Amino acid sequence: MKKLFLMLLGFALAVQGLFAADTPSPVKYVFLFIGDGLSLPQRMMTEDYRQIVEGKGLLINSLETQGFSTTFAANQLITDSAASGTAIACGSKTNVGWLGLDAQGNRLESVAAVAKKNGRKVGILSSVSLDHATPAAFYAHNASRGNTYDIALEIFDSGFDLFAGGGFLNADGKNVADAKGNIFDIAKEKGWVVSRTKEEFNNLKPTDKPVLAITPRFSDGFSIPYSIDMNDDDLTLADFTAKAIELLDNDNGFFIMVEGGKIDWMCHANDAATTIHEVIGFDDAVKVAYDFAQKHPDETLIVITGDHETGGLTLGFSGTGYQSYLDRLQHQNISLINFQPIYQKVKDNKEASFDDVKPLVTQYFGLKFDGDDNDNMKLTEYEVEKLKEGFKRSRGEGDYSAAENKSILYGGYDPFLITLLHVLNNKAGIAWTSFAHTAMPVATSAYGKNAEIFGNMSDNTDISKRLKMMVTKLK
Ligand SMILES: [Zn+2]
């Protein structure tokens, strides 16, 4: 660890040297995109999948400026979204779970707050709830990311102009001793414009009042649905990004942070296909900013990073050797989250057997139990045995040997669902080592004015330090 810090100190000094010579000029329109759990394996997996299936790669991978950022927290090598969000937002390392405070508990100022102080409009967007760690790192100050109600209340002290995307984990302040009421009610009382339907969203026009724009349909209770599960009634992260530009464009410029928060969730669950669709949805949102930048070429900066890697994803598996078959993931047409209740019905039915699961596995994941042996989606005997074992364990019937550990094998997830995802993913030539985050550095990409400053090996705190110099008053 000590060595790592010394290494990082070296980077920091190099960066400081760079700035001492030449402080970057302010940029009118600044976008910061954060993919939660988005590191190189997630980007490369999606790139290859998309090249094969759609004949084109990701915009974020094609940008001229590409660098790396280390992600470690103040108190441990593997960070979380709170510590990493704080580093990216405020430019200081902190402890895992902490938001907007340094490791000594001192209050920090985020790049969004600096932008606001300099007369810019500010928008905070996320596909997950707005009190979640990453968006919260831009406006909240709390030693526990779990205090979501108190965190949400800080939205009203932020002075920011737009919060958009998911809802709130604890909008009613349940189990909070001195709760001040429902967050949406408070927003209305304070004069905020609140949109909760697609029609209200489409009707939003630029206004001097602060705006709270929430997804018309929730998944997981409080976030926008997974891209793989979306229908025409939904608003995508790209829709929210386009609306943010429409609402916030003004002579003094803006700072907009957009988080793709659910890449992380599906990497925790080791669901590669859903992850791929989340990364594509995130890339689509970046494309909106990129198209805007074409119209404002000398006035726009877009920075894209991740807060950490999740899942220990790797593009290679012992069973597939040197080959990759990422196109096999296109047969999965549902997220783990939406499949769960479908599977649960069979799991809970005492009369049901493994045979009742088979049609679901084929319908939603494309894996076949019968047919031509040359069909690459046909399950091998070994894979069928794995699925049967997972099903038994899922129903509490399977035995574990002394050396086996449920949490190592399945994390907190259902044994059958994890086995099913692992079987499909391994067939595609990919594998996972964890249900948690890892310490892998992330890729940081940039496009537009001052983009070249981000094209090196740096620390996640450098992103905020650099951006703070660019959200100053326009000359
Ligand atoms: Zn995260």
Side-chain angles (χ1 to χ4, degrees):
M1 223 21 205
K2 208 169 184 183
K3 221 172 174 182
L4 185 69
F5 283 121
L6 287 174
M7 241 168 74
L8 257 301
L9 187 67
F11 289 131
L13 290 174
V15 169
Q16 271 173 12
L18 182 79
F19 287 149
D22 190 12
T23 302
S25 51
V27 183
K28 186 173 180 183
Y29 303 113
V30 178
F31 293 90
L32 174 59
F33 286 86
I34 303 174
D36 204 307
L38 180 70
S39 179
L40 268 188
Q42 286 77 9
R43 288 174 68 148
M44 201 63 219
M45 173 176 72
T46 310
E47 177 78 24
D48 277 4
Y49 172 89
R50 212 181 189 193
Q51 290 285 4
I52 300 165
V53 175
E54 297 179 30
K56 63 171 180 178
L58 291 172
L59 171 67
I60 56 174
N61 288 351
S62 74
L63 301 175
E64 209 169 280
T65 304
Q66 302 284 351
F68 290 99
S69 306
T70 44
T71 66
F72 62 90
N75 59 339
Q76 60 192 56
L77 184 61
I78 299 179
T79 193
D80 80 328
S81 300
S84 189
T86 298
I88 297 167
C90 305
S92 171
K93 291 292 185 192
T94 194
N95 300 321
V96 164
W98 290 29
L99 288 167
L101 304 170
D102 69 14
Q104 285 71 47
N106 300 307
R107 214 177 148 91
L108 298 167
E109 190 175 45
S110 78
V111 55
V114 172
K116 192 67 222 174
K117 222 163 62 181
N118 286 315
R120 290 155 179 268
K121 292 216 172 194
V122 171
I124 302 296
L125 283 57
S126 176
S127 58
V128 300
S129 64
L130 298 167
D131 49 15
H132 226 269
T134 307
F138 288 81
Y139 66 84
H141 310 80
N142 202 302
S144 172
R145 59 182 285 179
N147 293 332
T148 53
Y149 181 77
D150 289 335
I151 287 167
L153 287 178
E154 283 201 62
I155 283 178
F156 304 114
D157 302 327
S158 69
F160 299 170
D161 304 276
L162 171 68
F163 285 83
F168 299 95
L169 278 159
N170 187 10
D172 292 319
K174 231 173 160 183
N175 301 323
V176 176
D178 53 347
K180 292 170 176 62
N182 175 279
I183 296 294
F184 292 104
D185 293 341
I186 295 171
K188 282 179 191 157
E189 281 160 25
K190 289 183 179 287
W192 284 54
V193 176
V194 179
S195 96
R196 300 190 68 177
T197 67
K198 198 166 180 181
E199 195 188 352
E200 287 169 348
F201 177 85
N202 289 334
N203 288 334
L204 286 172
K205 290 280 168 294
T207 165
D208 289 335
K209 294 176 182 170
V211 176
L212 181 58
I214 304 296
T215 173
R217 192 169 73 100
F218 290 115
S219 89
D220 303 285
F222 47 78
S223 59
I224 75 173
Y226 290 97
S227 297
I228 199 171
D229 299 327
M230 276 194 180
N231 62 44
D232 291 344
D233 296 333
D234 291 311
L235 292 167
T236 64
L237 200 56
D239 293 332
F240 282 108
T241 306
K243 183 58 86 175
I245 292 170
E246 183 193 337
L247 296 181
L248 302 183
D249 190 3
N250 76 103
D251 291 344
N252 297 323
F254 59 58
F255 171 80
I256 296 175
M257 191 290 292
V258 184
E259 186 209 14
K262 301 179 84 169
I263 300 164
D264 171 69
W265 293 6
M266 283 302 100
C267 288
H268 276 290
N270 294 180
D271 182 341
T274 304
T275 297
I276 284 171
H277 289 275
E278 283 307 293
V279 175
I280 291 173
F282 178 72
D283 196 68
D284 289 345
V286 175
K287 176 77 164 50
V288 172
Y290 182 83
D291 290 344
F292 176 82
Q294 305 313 305
K295 293 178 211 142
H296 306 273
D298 303 321
E299 301 177 302
T300 309
L301 170 67
I302 305 168
V303 177
I304 304 114
T305 193
D307 60 345
H308 49 75
E309 198 278 336
T310 304
L313 172 64
T314 192
L315 309 188
F317 170 61
S318 52
T320 46
Y322 285 83
Q323 301 305 315
S324 302
Y325 307 102
L326 288 166
D327 56 309
R328 294 177 184 175
L329 296 172
Q330 68 184 304
H331 300 288
Q332 183 181 332
N333 52 39
I334 194 168
S335 70
L336 170 80
I337 298 303
N338 269 13
F339 182 67
Q340 192 143 18
I342 297 169
Y343 167 67
Q344 193 74 31
K345 280 189 192 143
V346 180
K347 181 180 166 178
D348 291 345
N349 181 357
K350 293 261 177 328
E351 309 296 311
S353 71
F354 183 69
D355 282 343
D356 297 299
V357 181
K358 287 178 175 178
L360 301 178
V361 169
T362 304
Q363 180 184 348
Y364 294 105
F365 297 85
L367 296 165
K368 296 172 191 164
F369 293 85
D370 309 295
D372 188 347
D373 278 348
N374 293 323
D375 185 339
N376 56 37
M377 292 306 285
K378 190 177 172 192
L379 291 157
T380 63
E381 224 170 283
Y382 172 71
E383 290 165 341
V384 174
E385 284 311 309
K386 298 264 290 184
L387 288 173
K388 278 184 181 166
E389 182 66 23
F391 184 65
K392 265 168 74 181
R393 288 176 170 182
S394 168
R395 303 231 286 186
E397 296 160 2
D399 296 325
Y400 293 86
S401 72
E404 283 177 319
N405 178 307
K406 207 174 167 185
S407 73
I408 292 174
L409 287 172
Y410 310 116
Y413 300 92
D414 180 277
F416 175 71
L417 296 177
I418 290 300
T419 306
L420 172 58
L421 291 169
H422 283 179
V423 164
L424 174 63
N425 295 346
N426 289 168
K427 248 182 163 21
I430 60 177
W432 305 85
T433 64
S434 179
F435 298 99
H437 302 166
T438 72
M440 278 280 292
V442 294
T444 296
S445 317
Y447 176 81
K449 192 176 175 186
N450 298 342
E452 64 283 356
I453 294 171
F454 296 87
N456 59 0
M457 183 75 192
S458 63
D459 184 49
N460 55 4
T461 53
D462 294 322
I463 295 169
S464 178
K465 287 173 191 162
R466 293 164 181 180
L467 288 178
K468 278 181 181 176
M469 286 188 265
M470 299 182 211
V471 295
T472 49
K473 284 201 174 71
L474 295 167
K475 298 216 169 83

